[in-house]
Every structure is written in C-alpha cells, then in structure tokens.
Amino acid sequence: MPTIIKLENVHNRPKVCLAIGNFDGVHLGHQVLLQRIRDRASSIKHQAWVLTFEPHPQILFKGSSYKLLQTYEQKYESILARNLDGIFVANFNSKFREQSPHDFLTYLNKVLDLQAIQVGYDFRFGKAGAGNAQLMKDFFQKYNISVEITHRQQNEGITYSSKNLRQAINTGDTKYYFKTAGRFFSIRGQVIAGSQRGRTIGFPTANINPPENQVRLVPGVYAIRCIYKGKTL
C-alpha cells in the first residue's frame, strides 16, 4: 500500500494496528500516542497506521476562520517521521459528519482488519461528537480488538494540547510552543515582493506568503532559520 491513502480507496481489508485522531500540530502528547501504537504493532508483528481526517472537522463547523497548526502536508510528514507505516485519510465531509458513532465504528471495522487501536482520552466522533474513547473501547471489545486510551500528557505543569499550541502562536510564545510541540513553529510559502524597506537600512528581508489555512504568529520580531531547497540559510 502507498504511504498515504484515502480511506475510501482502501481494498482487501488490510491488517493494521491503528492510531486515530486529528493530530493537529503533532505535539508531544500525540507523539506518546503514536509511539504506543508503534510499540504495540511491533510486539504482534503488524504494521502501525494512523487514521486522520481532512479537512479538519473544526473547519466544517467553523469555516475558514479555523486555522491549522500545520498544513496537511506538514502534519503527514510529522506523523511519518515517528516511524509509522502509513496514513489513512478520511474525507470529513457533511455526509461523514452525520454518521452516528455506531455507523462510524462499523464502517471502520468493515474496511480495516483491525488488530489494535490507540486513541486519545479526549477524542470524539460521530454526529455531534456523541462518541468517545470509552464507547469505542466497548464497541470493539465484542470483536476482541483491544482499544487502548492514551491519557492526558503533561510535563512540569504543561498540558500537551493543540488548543494550548494555538494559544501560544496567537500570543507569540514560541518557547511554550517548542516545549509542547517538541520542535519550532514553521511555515512554508513562496517569497513575494514587499516594500523593500529593509535593504535601505542594511537588513534585506524575504517576505513569505504563508498558507491561508495555517495559524500566524502575532506580529513581532523573531529569530528564525530559513530552509531553501533543503539547505539552511
């Protein structure tokens, strides 16, 4: 199978261990969850895959005002960097949103031959978010499929969450972001023409046009690293 595949295009019911979630920002809490499914898969000699959703469910509810911590491309790269075997991407459209929790789990069990499941303590699914991790655990118990719930992850009083990461970006707290995500905040985009004022004072700048669907740092002065064609400038 290819590394990234749409869930609707899955055939032959592959045997996989599966981590399920939005994984916006792939922060340190997510990384604990991903490592756990990787370890469980290795112990029973099966592949470890992730199921995530595109677009992010909040975009369907809130529209373009909801901004991502990473583009989808960045998120997939961050997930695969954790030594996962691949990613299933579910198309989170209005029809998908209207599924009951039972219908979603039944569909998942039909499409994939699930060997183990890992999910976060706060994961919700099904219409109006009616399903939770415990419901998922109870559903799959009758199929002898183990659902393990990763609980809240904290360090030095810091809770790892996408909400907190987003708040850090909105306030320019890049140190908090680094401590919670385990990496620096990054954007990708084309260099565009600006006012060219920097060169007049001896500091030429590059103006980056960031993705429209990604959060933006509050205006300020930041130390950065620029990567161009694989080289750090």
Side-chain angles (χ1 to χ4, degrees):
M1 289 186 292
T3 304
I4 302 173
I5 184 171
K6 292 183 178 179
L7 189 61
E8 62 199 61
N9 293 335
V10 173
H11 303 290
N12 302 321
R13 202 165 177 257
K15 283 188 177 184
V16 294
C17 297
L18 193 69
I20 307 174
N22 291 306
F23 301 107
D24 190 19
V26 195
H27 55 65
L28 292 176
H30 292 144
Q31 292 171 35
V32 169
L33 189 155
L34 296 173
Q35 183 60 50
R36 180 57 185 155
I37 198 63
R38 175 73 268 172
D39 291 344
R40 294 175 69 194
S42 296
S43 70
I44 57 176
K45 295 180 171 53
H46 285 295
Q47 290 195 341
W49 282 63
V50 164
L51 171 64
T52 191
F53 309 92
E54 186 179 331
H56 190 292
Q58 288 297 327
I59 291 177
L60 208 60
F61 294 113
K62 298 181 179 180
S64 60
S65 65
Y66 189 85
K67 304 300 182 183
L68 303 171
L69 291 166
Q70 294 177 296
T71 64
Y72 298 114
E73 179 185 27
Q74 287 175 309
K75 177 171 77 169
Y76 300 152
E77 288 176 2
S78 295
I79 289 172
L80 294 174
R82 309 307 301 175
N83 296 318
L84 278 294
D85 294 295
I87 301 170
F88 299 117
V89 180
N91 179 16
F92 197 89
N93 54 26
S94 56
K95 181 179 179 181
F96 193 96
R97 173 177 77 173
E98 292 300 309
Q99 291 182 107
S100 70
H102 182 271
D103 287 346
F104 169 69
L105 296 177
T106 300
Y107 170 69
L108 205 57
N109 198 38
K110 178 181 177 181
V111 173
L112 302 172
D113 187 354
L114 296 164
Q115 304 301 300
I117 298 172
Q118 197 77 26
V119 68
Y121 70 97
D122 57 350
F123 180 66
R124 310 291 299 197
F125 60 93
K127 186 175 180 179
N132 60 20
Q134 187 60 50
L135 187 151
M136 181 181 292
K137 189 171 186 175
D138 295 341
F139 176 90
F140 282 110
Q141 188 172 26
K142 60 179 175 284
Y143 298 102
N144 294 317
I145 300 170
S146 173
V147 175
E148 186 175 293
I149 301 170
T150 299
H151 297 288
R152 185 191 304 271
Q153 301 295 309
Q154 292 180 310
N155 183 39
E156 297 179 353
I158 296 174
T159 297
Y160 303 136
S161 75
S162 299
K163 179 181 178 180
N164 289 345
L165 276 183
R166 191 167 282 103
Q167 179 65 18
I169 292 303
N170 289 335
T171 59
D173 192 347
T174 54
K175 289 183 178 179
Y176 182 95
Y177 187 96
F178 182 81
K179 287 182 179 180
T180 306
R183 65 179 175 280
F184 295 109
F185 178 68
S186 65
I187 61 171
R188 295 175 183 173
Q190 287 187 320
V191 176
I192 58 174
S195 301
Q196 300 183 352
R197 289 190 294 267
R199 66 180 60 188
T200 65
I201 57 175
F203 294 96
T205 59
N207 297 281
I208 308 295
N209 188 25
E212 285 294 328
N213 64 344
Q214 188 178 9
V215 293
R216 298 189 183 187
L217 278 165
V218 67
V221 179
Y222 302 93
I224 68 163
R225 286 188 298 180
C226 179
I227 300 174
Y228 177 69
K229 292 184 177 180
K231 295 182 179 181
T232 301
L233 305 179

